[in-house]
Amino acid sequence: MITSSRVKNLHPYVPGEQPKDRVYIKLNANENPYAPSPKVQEAVLDFVKNNPEKLGLYPDPDSLELHAAIADMLNKCGGVLCRAQVQGGEVQPAPEDKIPFTVTPDMIYTGNGSDEVLSFVFYAFFDSSKKFVMPQFTYSFYPVYAGYYNIPMDQVPLKEDWSLDVDEMLTRAGRNGGGIIFANPNAPTSLGLTRDEVRQMIKKSSPDEIFIVDEAYVDFGGESCIPLLAEFKNLVIVRTFSKSLCGAGQRLGYIVANPELVNIVTTVKNSVNHFPLDAVAQVSGTAACRDVAYYVETSRKVVQTRDDFYNFLRDKGFYVLKSQTNFLFAKHPSIAGDELYQKVKAQGLLIRHFNTPGIEDFVRITVGTAEQMEELKNCFNKII
Ligand code: PMP
C-alpha cells in the first residue's frame, strides 16, 4: 500500500451534517444563530478595501494585536459573557466572575479554530507512553486526536445523572500519570462543574501532569477556570470564537495559560504551520473582542431562548438536562432519538443525533433564535 502505517490509526471526526440539497434551519452544530458584531463586518471590509497589499503578504505569525484584544476582552467580561454587566457601553465582569489578576497577551495562544488548538495541545502535553483521562461522553474530537498522535486514552463513564465522575477520573489519572482533559460545561451533556469543584480536582491531581479544561461553551452560564491560573501552573484553558462570539466561520480558537505553556504550544505550531491565522481572521477576531458589549447581549438572548425551550421540552414530557451551554440534551420516553431526528429533518430542521451506544436515545438541540425555536416547537407538537 502507498499509505503510511499511521493512517490506520485515523478515525476522522464526524461533524454535524451540512447538507446542500435544501435549506434547513440548522440546530445541529452548536453554531450561534446571530451574526458577528457589525464592527467585525466593518473591520473586514475596511481591511480588504484599504489594505489589499496586505493580502499579498504573510500575516503576523504571532497574532499580537489579536492576543492583546482577547486578553482585554477576558479582563472586561470575566470569561463568562452572559453574566457580564454593561453600563453605557462599558463592560464589567459579574462580581463572581472577576479575574483576580490581569490576563496578559503572553497568556494567550491562538489557532485556526479550537480544533486545531486542541490538536496542538494534545501534541504538546500528552505522551504516547501514558494514558490520559477523559470522560466517556465528551467532545468526540478528543479520541480522534488520540488516534492521530497515537496517545492511549482512558475513558471514564459518567455518573448516572450524566455528570463527570470526578473521583474516578482522579483515581485513574493518578494511576496512569498522563494528564486529564474534559469540556466544562461538557458536551453533549451540557452540564458543568463549578470552579471550586475543578479547583479541588486540580489540587488532588499531580502538578507534574497537564490539566486541560475546554471552555467552548462557558460563556452561556458555566464557571470559567481562568481565575485558577494564578494557583496552578499545569492548567490549560481552551476557548473558541465559534459559539458565544458568533464566529464559527472565522475559525478562531485560543488557549489561556501561563506563558511557559503558551510558549510550548507555540513551538508545536511553528513546527507545523507558522501562520495558522490568516490576516483577515486576525482583523475580524480583534474587532470582535473590541465589541464585548454586543456579545454580552447575544449570549443573553441565547440563554433566554434556551431556558424557554427547556421549559417547553419539560412540559412536552422530555427528560432534559439543565443546560449551561447553547444546546439542550434531551430524550423522550415515547420516541427514539433517531426517529425524532429523522422526523424533524423531514420538516426542514436539523438537530443532532449520535448513534453512540449509551446516548442513542438522546438528541442534542442547538439553541437558535426565538423564531427558529418556535418552528421547532411547532414541529415537535406535530410529531409528539
Ligand atoms: N470544543 C468543544 C467542546 C466543541 O463542542 C467544539 C465544537 N464542536 C470545539 C471545541 C471546536 O470548536 P472550533 O474548532 O469551532 O473552535
Side-chain angles (χ1 to χ4, degrees):
M1 280 295 280
I2 54 166
T3 51
S4 73
S5 55
R6 286 186 299 272
V7 172
K8 293 196 191 81
N9 288 331
L10 299 185
H11 303 283
Y13 175 69
V14 183
E17 62 192 315
Q18 319 268 353
K20 306 270 183 292
D21 58 324
R22 112 179 223 200
V23 179
Y24 289 92
I25 294 180
K26 249 184 121 273
L27 304 173
N28 69 336
N30 296 344
E31 293 147 310
N32 198 304
Y34 300 104
S37 152
K39 304 249 171 74
V40 170
Q41 192 183 4
E42 262 169 48
V44 170
L45 288 174
D46 177 71
F47 178 77
V48 175
K49 188 152 182 257
N50 297 321
N51 306 276
E53 75 289 352
K54 288 207 178 152
L55 291 176
L57 302 174
Y58 286 112
D60 174 8
D62 300 314
S63 304
L64 289 178
E65 207 179 350
L66 176 59
H67 291 190
I70 292 172
D72 199 39
M73 169 186 70
L74 293 173
N75 291 320
K76 280 186 176 144
C77 74
V80 184
L81 282 166
C82 79
R83 274 197 297 270
Q85 295 159 5
V86 185
Q87 261 181 354
E90 289 299 308
V91 178
Q92 296 244 322
E96 65 270 35
D97 296 322
K98 194 170 170 9
I99 301 169
F101 56 87
T102 302
V103 178
T104 49
D106 59 355
M107 297 174 70
I108 308 294
Y109 165 87
T110 45
N112 190 257
S114 59
D115 281 340
E116 186 201 64
V117 171
L118 280 162
S119 144
F120 291 165
V121 164
F122 266 64
Y123 188 89
F125 302 116
F126 289 149
D127 221 290
S128 56
S129 61
K130 292 176 194 164
K131 283 187 193 169
F132 74 92
V133 165
M134 64 175 215
Q136 182 186 5
F137 298 116
T138 186
Y139 184 34
S140 49
F141 224 132
Y142 304 157
V144 177
Y145 301 127
Y148 187 76
Y149 293 121
N150 208 7
I151 308 164
M153 57 186 175
D154 193 353
Q155 294 177 279
V156 178
L158 299 182
K159 294 205 285 200
E160 237 170 65
D161 63 358
W162 301 97
S163 64
L164 301 194
D165 190 340
V166 167
D167 292 339
E168 184 60 20
M169 286 174 73
L170 288 174
T171 304
R172 296 210 205 169
R175 201 188 299 146
N176 303 340
I180 291 185
I181 184 168
F182 58 92
N184 192 42
N186 196 21
T189 60
S190 77
L191 303 177
L193 296 175
T194 64
R195 183 182 311 126
D196 207 46
E197 284 171 316
V198 180
R199 177 187 278 116
Q200 298 313 325
M201 234 179 139
I202 309 180
K203 268 192 183 161
K204 288 181 192 159
S205 59
S206 163
D208 299 328
E209 288 156 25
I210 201 72
F211 200 104
I212 304 164
V213 181
D214 180 346
E215 294 193 346
Y217 299 103
V218 74
D219 278 315
F220 300 106
E223 291 191 18
S224 174
C225 289
I226 294 174
L228 303 183
L229 290 170
E231 295 165 56
F232 304 107
K233 298 279 175 239
N234 59 332
L235 173 63
V236 173
I237 295 165
V238 182
R239 301 179 55 120
T240 178
F241 280 57
S242 297
K243 315 297 175 188
S244 54
L245 294 176
C246 312
Q250 290 167 277
R251 304 310 300 133
L252 289 164
Y254 59 101
I255 69 172
V256 196
N258 280 291
E260 304 86 83
L261 301 190
V262 166
N263 286 339
I264 295 169
V265 182
T266 306
T267 302
V268 176
K269 184 260 295 182
N270 287 338
S271 311
V272 179
N273 179 2
H274 204 52
F275 306 103
L277 293 193
D278 66 72
V280 180
Q282 293 189 32
V283 166
S284 72
T286 304
C289 294
R290 289 182 182 157
D291 194 7
V292 194
Y294 174 87
Y295 297 101
V296 171
E297 197 184 319
T298 47
S299 299
R300 289 225 179 105
K301 281 202 272 194
V302 169
V303 165
Q304 219 169 36
T305 312
R306 175 194 72 204
D307 293 346
D308 173 74
F309 201 76
Y310 171 86
N311 291 332
F312 167 81
L313 289 173
R314 294 272 307 237
D315 292 347
K316 206 78 207 142
F318 277 86
Y319 169 77
V320 47
L321 301 186
K322 193 82 187 87
S323 171
Q324 295 184 337
T325 64
N326 68 337
F327 58 87
L328 290 153
F329 196 53
K331 62 179 176 177
H332 198 277
S334 73
I335 183 162
D338 188 40
E339 188 184 348
L340 180 59
Y341 152 77
Q342 294 290 357
K343 288 193 164 160
V344 168
K345 185 172 177 186
Q347 308 240 4
L349 294 97
L350 290 177
I351 56 175
R352 187 95 196 251
H353 173 255
F354 299 91
N355 263 324
T356 318
I359 54 169
E360 68 273 47
D361 293 342
F362 282 86
V363 287
R364 193 197 66 189
I365 304 162
T366 302
V367 177
T369 60
E371 295 72 31
Q372 290 174 327
M373 299 321 276
E374 283 305 311
E375 295 264 349
L376 190 59
K377 283 183 192 172
N378 293 337
C379 186
F380 279 3
N381 282 333
K382 279 186 217 152
I383 297 167
I384 302 168

